[in-house]
Amino acid sequence: DSGEEPLVIVGTGLAGYNLAREFRKLDQSTPLLLITGDDGTFYSKPLLSASLAHGKTPQQLAGTSAEEMARELNAEILVFTQVTAIHTGSRTLTLTSDNGSAEVRYGRLVLATGASCRPLPPIGGDGHARLFRINNLADYHRFRTALVGRKRVLLLGAGLIGCEFANDLTQSGYQVEMVDTLGWPLATLLPEAAGRDLQRALESEGVRFHGNTRVLRLDRNGNSIRAYLDNGEQLEAHLALAALGLSANTSLAAAAGLQVARGIAVDRYLRTSDANIFALGDCAEVEGNLLYFVAPLMACARALAKTLAGTPTPVRYGVMPLAVKTTLRPVTICPPPAEAEGKWHIDSNERGVRAEFRTEAGQLLGFALTGAAIAARDDLAAECVPVMG
Ligand code: FAD
């Protein structure tokens, strides 16, 4: 029994804070300690790629300060503090901040350490000071500040985040060049007809899409940068933004000897290979599912709060369609599992694309909808087989 030792949560992103909120609904007395390497501001990360069009500054995105969150949650919050080691035997953490190092004990520990931008592929040249990546509010602040007085943005990557930024920037008057190694936007998630439909909508607003190629070199060129693509093309821009995917933050867990796969491996109770340590959010791989979006982490926060408050509760995911914030052409996706056998059935016209991924026997395993076809979302969600029901 952990007695009155605190429940410690590492990370104050949507996973850490939502878990804390859910836990406090059920348990008002167990001491709660949250630790974060950043300033602990509560904000909606998904808004980062939609805030220009909403006329929001980075300051306006900052919802609630860590101080207010500490009051609301009746919790202690340590900001600008890194957890640098977990000692599972003594149930202690090593913390590092500008004040030096310290140790704290935990009763139970939850890792909500998120994910980081994947390392860049090798890109030559001397223009890297103008190459940005965005995975938190501080990154976004840097980008928005650099954007002042600029007009042209080169986007590396046409995945979810890249497409949303293309949509947001072009709607706000920026000229966008978009480069992806695959043939169409969202190519890992959408069949070609749906990806091309989105591509056309972005292009009709001035985005230039360059598929099946990559940036080899990024040079400074006076006030701007010049990108050299491997298809021989050269592009000019003022700034570059790389959105090339994420990888789960697992190193702290791995160094403590916890089982790690692509994410920190947990079961449906969000329990790691150590019985006192749990994980959720972008860092956690739940029974093999590593999902970098909000709906699964909310389901995990609700289930884990119950477990930590004394009622062991497995998480169920259900069907979780994701609305891509490409307002020029709304897209809703519910990707089939990676290893799923079946094929796309596509119904496409100028109003939108409806793509259903079905097994040979007709079972619906995933879908993708664009434009007016997103109206079918609820019907298809009701029929679709859940990832982890
Ligand atoms: P994070 O927000 O990354 O939080 C991690 C926390 O851990 C931080 O507080 C960090 O300081 C802390 N931390 C990490 N390591 C340590 C350590 N060693 N010591 C101390 N603290 C540590 N999802 C959707 O569902 N819909 C969308 O439309 C959508 N749009 C998005 C747009 C953008 C631009 C981005 C970047 C993501 C988007 N997502 C979207 C994904 C969604 O935002 C994430 O899935 C979610 O925010 C992840 O939350 P998290 O708490 O797991 O991780």
Side-chain angles (χ1 to χ4, degrees), residues 11-15 36-38 45 49 82-83 112-114 282 293-294 325:
T12 57
L14 291 173
T36 177
D38 60 28
K45 192 184 271 200
S49 48
Q82 287 287 333
V83 175
T113 51
D282 282 5
F293 59 107
V294 177
K325 301 187 292 297

Side-chain angles (χ1 to χ4, degrees), residues 227-306:
Y228 297 83
L229 308 189
D230 78 347
N231 64 6
E233 257 189 285
Q234 294 181 19
L235 304 175
E236 293 281 335
H238 292 122
L239 301 179
L241 176 58
L244 298 171
L246 298 170
S247 64
N249 291 328
T250 57
S251 54
L252 184 63
L258 303 180
Q259 200 187 318
V260 164
R262 289 171 304 147
I264 302 169
V266 296
D267 62 17
R268 283 196 186 212
Y269 295 88
L270 292 319
R271 200 184 287 270
T272 66
S273 53
D274 181 299
N276 294 309
I277 306 180
F278 301 79
L280 83 165
D282 282 5
C283 67
E285 183 173 333
V286 185
E287 277 201 341
N289 295 292
L290 184 66
L291 300 170
Y292 298 127
F293 59 107
V294 177
L297 74 80
M298 294 301 294
C300 288
R302 285 188 290 267
L304 181 53
K306 289 184 191 148

